[in-house]
Amino acid sequence: MSPILQGIITIVLGVGGCVTYFYASNLILDKVIFPPKGSDPGRNINRANAVRPWLFLFPAIFALGLYLAYPVVGSAWRSLFDRDGAQFIGLGNYEKLAADPTFRQAVFNNFLWVLVVPAAATFFGLMAAQLTDRIKWGNIAKSLIFMPMAISFVGASLIWKFVYANNPQIGLINAIRDYFQLQPIDPLQIPFWNNFFLMVILVWIQTGFAMVILSAALRGIPEETIEAAVLDGANPFQLFFKIKVPQIMPTIVVVWTTITILVLKVFDIVYATTGGNFGTQILPSYMMQYMFRDDGRATAVAFVIMIIVLPVMIWNIIQARKETR
Amino acid sequence: MADLKLENVAKSYGEVQVLKDIDLDIKAGELIVFVGPSGCGKSTLLRMIAGLEKITGGTLEIDGVRMNDVPPANRGIAMVFQSYALYPHMTVRDNMAFALKIAKMPQAEIDAAVEKAARMLQLEPYLDRLPKALSGGQRQRVAIGRAIVRDPKVYLFDEPLSNLDAALRVATRIEIAQLKEAMPERTMIYVTHDQVEAMTLASRIVVLANKGIAQVGTPLELYEKPQNEFVAQFIGSPSMNLFPGEVVETGATTVVKLDRGGVARSSVPTQPADKGLKVNIGVRPEDFVPAEGVEPIYTGRVDIVEALGEVTLLYFEAEGERDPIIAKLPGIHHDRRHSEIGLTADPSKVHLFANGQSLLYR
């Protein structure tokens, strides 16, 4: 069967299934379970209306339960077993993790990523948003800055691998060094700092995201408050940092936390560039290393990541709600 | 303490001219009101004085100093915006102190200035609140307070009351009048489209129309001696009735024979050469009186009666007229509907216009 036909059948079945579900379930509710007749039809109508929202909520709750809640509980349970899941070992996997220097290195590196990447991406995004609003070719600049968003993490990593390549014929960095008659180096093998060279890739990708959101927020600031500040004598810097930025603070926080959550999940960049070698391991790539080899340990890592993400996530949701209110 | 002088001021956006030939002398301590129909450029003119819009022609002087290219903050002005424009992330106190902090004033002086303004505007209990926790009237007072603490030479108000409800508008209008009284030496410029605000607040009104100034004068000058038909119809509510006619007798009292029948006498003097001149006579609705024993200016059937209690508005069936003819008679006359009435007016209340311009000013 051709893929197009398959796709069409899937769409028809999916949409048709949804329509059938909502129609049939409502029909059953109204005609069979609480029919508007008998001794007290009004009460039946009220009861049917009290149940109805749940008919609509059920598919979403069911899907989320199946694909989110169950895996969380399942992972937590699985992480208490050994590599092939045969033997219950309690917190053994976690003890092993704590004792593993690579894991500790990954946690440390992850904290570096969380500190640097969201801050840098938000900062550059904010600058780009403000500056591109004021120049004629701002929209072109914006498109260029946004474009990396459309590249997959692996693709972006490969592009930057070329930039960092240990060969003046390929690598941009070494081409510049070569111009100044310096020996070629491999930036990805410089201990500690190579972490930052990898972070650059994610910052490069995420700056566009931050810029787009913050640019919209900047435009939403009432023009009069800016004019009032101009009359009050604020210079462009004061205008930006004392009037504009505070007014879009909720959006900045949402962008920041969104990128933070993303940072805690990205493994592709490390995987595609250094493979976690040279002291660049982070938690997601560390998890990938153990996947299929020691599932118990890998799920334990996954659980650790989730526990780290959770507070950021909650903070993010609270902020986003505050903003929409 | 500040005189403003606008000379030949013009504004255009690219090809589009929105204001031209604006000449205006504002004396220190005046409260000038800009009025005009929407889109006449009154807010633009105010923003040009503030420095928020570039002046594309002519000069603006404050106290004899050319201000065209002086940054807004250095012009010695403060502006109150229609939308208040409070900084939403700052408390009332910080909102008012912002300009002084930017100017690096000592903290003690800032506190004193803010406290003083807050006392004047009864904002003391709210100093530590954010703007969103204030009512519309309180926000407007904060906006005014923000202007006061800077102690500017010139206050600019851009339709400050139009976001308030009717009752609050009256109260705030009176507050602004009191504010002006408390600072008699400060110059204020006030933009509004509300005639009542203009008439009650202004020491002089500037009527803007057709990209320029239609007339400048005290409220009563504009009401009693409008320079042209536009001002005559713009000031006063309901607006002045106009009737076309021809001058038949000249002298200290001019007699005009009206095209639709009827005769009007006006105490606007005319020359013998004016005989036969095509004119419009203007009579305000409130100047009409029922014609008894004299030839009426206008005779018509009452179409609609609006009894407001202290006065009654009579709308006459107007054939081929743009606007209905309106008479405002004291007392209650709701029994006049569909009856035929002749109306006349005292000659001193009958205005004469030729080609749109008042004959009083030639």
Side-chain angles (χ1 to χ4, degrees):
Chain A
M1 209 180 335
S2 88
I4 294 177
L5 196 65
Q6 263 178 353
I8 291 172
I9 290 174
T10 311
I11 291 171
V12 168
L13 279 181
V15 175
C18 285
V19 172
T20 317
Y21 164 74
F22 288 118
Y23 184 76
S25 60
N26 276 288
L27 199 70
I28 291 169
L29 183 70
D30 287 334
K31 300 281 178 214
V32 182
I33 305 176
F34 295 123
K37 52 191 172 208
S39 59
D40 193 353
R43 186 159 157 264
N44 267 359
I45 291 175
N46 282 341
R47 267 156 52 178
N49 283 341
V51 172
R52 202 178 317 281
W54 296 101
L55 292 182
F56 287 87
L57 284 173
F58 171 74
I61 291 175
F62 177 75
L64 284 178
L66 185 64
Y67 292 107
L68 269 171
Y70 167 68
V72 168
V73 177
S75 302
W77 183 241
R78 178 70 183 81
S79 71
L80 303 178
F81 286 81
D82 70 351
R83 56 189 303 170
D84 46 18
Q87 203 183 343
F88 184 81
I89 54 168
L91 294 175
N93 282 320
Y94 294 94
E95 279 161 18
K96 265 188 266 171
L97 283 183
D100 181 358
T102 320
F103 176 76
R104 273 181 276 160
Q105 166 105 63
V107 171
F108 173 75
N109 286 344
N110 238 144
F111 271 106
L112 279 185
W113 279 71
V114 165
L115 285 179
V116 174
V117 174
T122 311
F123 176 77
F124 289 129
L126 190 57
M127 292 301 133
Q130 168 69 11
L131 297 177
T132 51
D133 262 353
R134 311 206 47 167
I135 48 178
K136 262 189 191 155
W137 46 281
N139 279 335
I140 298 170
K142 259 188 196 158
S143 318
L144 290 175
I145 295 171
F146 187 70
M147 228 173 257
M149 276 289 283
I151 304 173
S152 75
F153 290 156
V154 175
S157 305
L158 291 177
I159 293 172
W160 280 85
K161 242 183 140 172
F162 284 128
V163 173
Y164 292 144
N166 187 9
N167 178 346
Q169 303 295 318
I170 302 171
L172 181 66
I173 307 257
N174 282 313
I176 295 170
R177 284 180 67 89
D178 191 55
Y179 180 80
F180 292 107
Q181 321 245 304
L182 292 164
Q183 285 299 308
I185 52 160
D186 189 346
L188 296 183
Q189 291 195 33
I190 304 170
F192 185 66
W193 298 108
N194 51 7
N195 280 303
F196 294 94
F197 296 132
L198 297 187
M199 291 176 205
V200 166
I201 304 174
L202 193 54
V203 172
W204 180 68
I205 295 173
Q206 287 300 312
T207 295
F209 163 75
M211 177 196 67
V212 169
I213 308 277
L214 294 174
S215 167
L218 280 175
R219 284 182 185 183
I221 296 175
E223 189 63 28
E224 286 87 0
T225 62
I226 294 163
E227 289 179 341
V230 169
L231 288 175
D232 277 348
N235 65 34
F237 279 97
Q238 291 166 326
L239 208 58
F240 185 65
F241 288 107
K242 293 195 168 159
I243 302 298
K244 287 185 172 181
V245 169
Q247 288 197 59
I248 60 166
M249 213 28 150
T251 313
I252 292 177
V253 171
V254 168
V255 168
W256 190 299
T257 49
T258 306
I259 298 176
T260 304
I261 292 165
L262 179 96
V263 167
L264 288 168
K265 293 191 298 189
V266 164
F267 92 98
D268 340 28
I269 292 174
V270 170
Y271 192 79
T273 46
T274 62
N277 295 312
F278 320 121
T280 58
Q281 197 67 285
I282 55 174
L283 285 175
S285 57
Y286 180 80
M287 176 183 80
M288 276 304 286
Q289 208 183 334
Y290 280 99
M291 205 138 88
F292 311 119
R293 287 201 286 138
D294 184 348
D295 281 352
R297 203 152 166 190
T299 38
V301 178
F303 216 69
V304 169
I305 295 175
M306 198 195 86
I307 285 164
I308 298 175
V309 173
L310 216 52
V312 188
M313 193 84 206
I314 291 167
W315 171 252
N316 180 292
I317 291 168
I318 291 171
Q319 287 301 319
R321 278 207 183 155
K322 225 188 253 173
E323 199 190 4
T324 50
R325 201 169 291 152
Chain B
M1 280 191 303
D3 297 330
L4 261 82
K5 196 174 165 111
L6 283 78
E7 233 174 311
N8 262 325
V9 166
K11 175 72 188 174
S12 48
Y13 295 100
E15 296 284 292
V16 187
Q17 182 118 36
V18 290
L19 285 170
K20 61 179 183 189
D21 303 337
I22 305 284
D23 285 306
L24 199 55
D25 261 312
I26 300 174
K27 296 271 165 292
E30 276 193 296
L31 198 162
I32 297 288
V33 174
F34 293 169
V35 289
S38 33
C40 70
K42 51 190 189 294
S43 282
T44 308
L45 187 57
L46 191 77
R47 293 166 57 84
M48 284 158 74
I49 295 171
L52 296 172
E53 299 275 356
K54 207 174 149 39
I55 298 170
T56 51
T59 54
L60 162 71
E61 285 178 10
I62 298 180
D63 275 344
V65 183
R66 190 184 137 100
M67 286 288 164
N68 285 38
D69 303 309
V70 175
N74 302 345
R75 292 187 181 194
I77 48 113
M79 184 156 164
V80 176
F81 290 83
Q82 179 178 355
S83 59
Y84 321 135
L86 301 181
Y87 310 127
H89 56 287
M90 295 186 197
T91 60
V92 169
R93 184 190 302 277
D94 290 339
N95 258 289
M96 296 211 273
F98 184 72
L100 307 183
K101 277 184 191 159
I102 294 280
K104 301 220 164 64
M105 200 187 250
Q107 189 62 40
E109 282 177 43
I110 296 179
D111 290 343
V114 170
E115 297 288 338
K116 188 175 161 219
R119 214 167 25 246
M120 250 172 116
L121 296 163
Q122 288 133 43
L123 282 171
E124 282 159 312
Y126 311 111
L127 277 176
D128 293 311
R129 287 205 200 167
L130 286 176
K132 66 180 174 198
L134 299 179
S135 71
Q138 289 164 343
R139 286 180 204 182
Q140 188 53 274
R141 291 217 296 278
V142 176
I144 294 171
R146 205 166 58 177
I148 292 176
V149 293
R150 296 185 51 197
D151 196 22
K153 292 187 283 189
V154 184
Y155 285 80
L156 307 176
F157 294 90
D158 189 4
E159 306 206 20
L161 307 185
S162 51
N163 281 5
L164 302 177
D165 64 51
L168 211 49
R169 201 175 299 172
V170 174
T172 315
R173 191 176 79 213
I174 291 166
E175 273 174 28
I176 291 178
Q178 286 167 341
L179 189 71
K180 179 74 191 80
E181 213 144 273
M183 302 185 291
E185 76 287 2
R186 293 287 179 259
T187 311
M188 294 189 178
I189 304 178
Y190 189 106
V191 165
T192 181
H193 57 256
D194 184 313
Q195 273 192 42
V196 180
E197 280 172 34
M199 299 295 280
T200 52
L201 287 172
S203 44
R204 280 194 301 159
I205 296 179
V206 176
V207 182
L208 291 167
N210 276 330
K211 303 174 185 177
I213 294 178
Q215 187 172 359
V216 184
T218 65
L220 289 183
E221 264 170 23
L222 296 193
Y223 179 80
E224 288 171 345
K225 294 170 181 166
Q227 264 176 15
N228 45 52
E229 283 178 10
F230 178 82
V231 175
Q233 291 210 299
F234 190 78
I235 301 289
S237 170
S239 52
M240 185 186 277
N241 301 296
L242 292 178
F243 305 92
E246 189 184 316
V247 175
V248 289
E249 268 178 51
T250 58
T253 301
T254 308
V255 180
V256 179
K257 194 169 181 304
L258 300 175
D259 296 354
R260 297 163 45 92
V263 171
R265 288 166 186 282
S266 168
S267 45
V268 177
T270 43
Q271 315 299 322
D274 292 331
K275 200 162 179 181
L277 185 69
K278 287 283 180 195
V279 293
N280 276 341
I281 71 143
V283 184
R284 294 195 181 278
E286 54 271 35
D287 292 336
F288 270 134
V289 288
E292 277 149 16
V294 290
E295 195 172 353
I297 294 173
Y298 176 79
T299 307
R301 275 169 68 84
V302 179
D303 191 18
I304 294 168
V305 176
E306 285 181 347
L308 302 178
E310 92 265 34
V311 293
T312 303
L313 293 180
L314 305 179
Y315 292 74
F316 291 87
E317 288 167 14
E319 300 135 38
E321 296 282 341
R322 215 165 13 127
D323 306 307
I325 305 298
I326 302 170
K328 194 193 239 178
L329 302 181
I332 298 168
H333 302 273
H334 59 253
D335 52 344
R336 294 292 187 99
R337 187 151 189 216
H338 301 314
S339 64
E340 192 138 306
I341 305 180
L343 295 167
T344 186
D346 188 89
S348 65
K349 308 282 192 185
V350 177
H351 307 258
L352 287 186
F353 303 97
N355 297 322
Q357 298 299 313
S358 171
L359 292 184
L360 202 58
Y361 285 89
R362 339 181 254 186

